[in-house]
Amino acid sequence: MIRREMPEIMLGVLTLKEKKYVTPHYIRIVLTGEDIANFKDANVGDNNKIAIPKSKDVVLNSGSLQQRESVKENFYIRTYTLRALDLEQGEMVVDFVAHGDEGPASSWAIKSEVGDKLGVMMKVKNKALFPEEVNRYFLFGDHTALPVVSVMLEKLPTEVKGEVFLEVFDESDMLDLEAPKGIKVNWLLNSKPGQQSSLFTKLSQLNLATKDFVFAACEHGFANQMQSHLREQAVLERKDWQVYAYWKFGASEDASATDRREVRA
């Protein structure tokens, strides 16, 4: 029996240094603290897990984050993208989607104040955000994937070509993104995320070719559609596309974890 080696976990308790509404639906949280040094092997664009205490009585420290059963019982755990990391300045940036008080992470971000504490956990990963030696890059993301697609655009080589489709609530969420000149950024408006999406339609209209690369991250049902379509594209090898279900309409992150894992990169 082959035993898989468990990835190293980086973790720490960080303090809210700055909070800014980048758009009406996106809150940029800047974290700081001595534990920033624990994330020296983190890569911008990777997922991180944030830990939010379920009550004021819960002790938040590095010790409590290392106790697996304690974490499950006492913290809300939610997944976000590491938007930026500056070890010299001692700052970590995470962008939150503000969608009211119904979710613990959104509620925390909306109500948070400078000085508030947040637990952060990340796995040490060696996987690249995207492959090299690609013909064209096609990136798809709904409002939850805007941070990771933004990072990918910033990291892509300047000479690449391709197209990006980003679906957000309304025009006020259309950010001025840093992207290579050969990448066309298309903004799609969707006031009812989870109930409708035009991402699959845009994907199905592409004339894909050998060595194209497709990345998609969105709601579970639409991610399933996109994955099924990509499996049928004879010109693409399996390594030429990645699809992620970031969330499931009508279900919490915990309740939808198993279903979302069925959509694999």
Side-chain angles (χ1 to χ4, degrees):
M1 181 178 181
I2 299 176
R3 182 174 295 177
R4 291 187 178 181
E5 193 171 314
M6 295 296 290
E8 181 185 348
I9 303 295
M10 303 170 284
L11 58 83
V13 177
L14 303 178
T15 303
L16 176 55
K17 178 181 180 180
E18 182 181 343
K19 170 182 171 180
K20 175 185 178 182
Y21 275 83
V22 183
T23 77
H25 293 104
Y26 291 94
I27 303 174
R28 178 154 296 166
I29 296 293
V30 181
L31 301 168
T32 191
E34 293 182 0
D35 286 352
I36 282 282
N38 299 345
F39 298 91
K40 60 182 179 62
D41 295 319
N43 294 311
V44 174
D46 281 350
N47 288 341
N48 59 21
K49 300 284 187 180
I50 63 167
I52 303 169
K54 291 183 177 180
S55 75
K56 294 181 179 180
D57 297 328
V58 173
V59 177
L60 174 59
N61 56 39
S62 296
S64 61
L65 293 179
Q66 294 181 53
Q67 300 170 15
R68 189 169 183 177
E69 292 306 316
S70 170
V71 169
K72 289 183 178 180
E73 181 179 349
N74 296 314
F75 297 92
Y76 295 110
I77 305 299
R78 294 296 182 263
T79 307
Y80 281 85
T81 297
L82 178 59
R83 184 64 182 85
L85 180 66
D86 189 329
L87 294 173
E88 291 187 5
Q89 294 296 320
E91 294 181 348
M92 174 184 290
V93 178
V94 181
D95 287 350
F96 286 69
V97 179
H99 49 79
D101 291 341
E102 65 268 25
S106 173
S107 178
W108 182 90
I110 291 170
K111 298 175 181 177
S112 63
E113 299 178 350
V114 171
D116 286 351
K117 305 291 184 181
L118 192 66
V120 180
M121 299 172 285
M122 293 186 70
K123 293 179 181 178
V124 176
K125 296 180 180 179
N126 295 316
K127 183 179 178 180
L129 273 178
F130 48 81
E132 299 179 355
E133 299 181 7
V134 167
N135 178 31
R136 296 175 298 175
Y137 290 88
F138 295 102
L139 312 180
F140 296 80
D142 68 7
H143 62 289
T144 64
L146 181 53
V148 70
V149 173
S150 299
V151 172
M152 295 174 76
L153 289 174
E154 292 169 4
K155 288 181 170 291
L156 281 171
T158 57
E159 71 277 6
V160 303
K161 299 183 182 299
E163 203 161 356
V164 175
F165 299 88
L166 287 166
E167 196 169 69
V168 293
F169 293 100
D170 53 45
E171 292 182 356
S172 66
D173 290 323
M174 295 166 55
L175 297 173
D176 185 14
L177 300 179
E178 178 184 335
K181 291 183 178 179
I183 296 287
K184 180 183 178 182
V185 178
N186 302 280
W187 291 98
L188 312 172
L189 305 184
N190 183 4
S191 62
K192 297 180 179 179
Q195 300 179 57
Q196 61 187 27
S197 175
S198 56
L199 291 175
F200 173 73
T201 300
K202 295 299 182 181
L203 172 62
S204 64
Q205 292 171 347
L206 292 179
N207 184 20
L208 296 170
T210 303
K211 285 193 173 183
D212 283 345
F213 173 72
V214 179
F215 172 93
C218 56
E219 192 276 333
H220 173 264
F222 301 111
N224 261 330
Q225 288 183 319
M226 300 177 85
Q227 179 173 255
S228 297
H229 177 77
L230 290 167
R231 289 189 188 279
E232 297 172 354
Q233 305 308 302
V235 295
L236 297 182
E237 298 181 34
R238 182 59 189 85
K239 63 180 178 61
D240 296 330
W241 54 270
Q242 298 175 6
V243 178
Y244 297 90
Y246 272 12
W247 62 293
K248 185 175 182 179
F249 181 66
S252 69
E253 180 168 335
D254 296 333
S256 65
T258 300
D259 289 340
R260 290 184 293 105
R261 276 195 291 268
E262 293 175 357
V263 182
R264 286 294 188 180

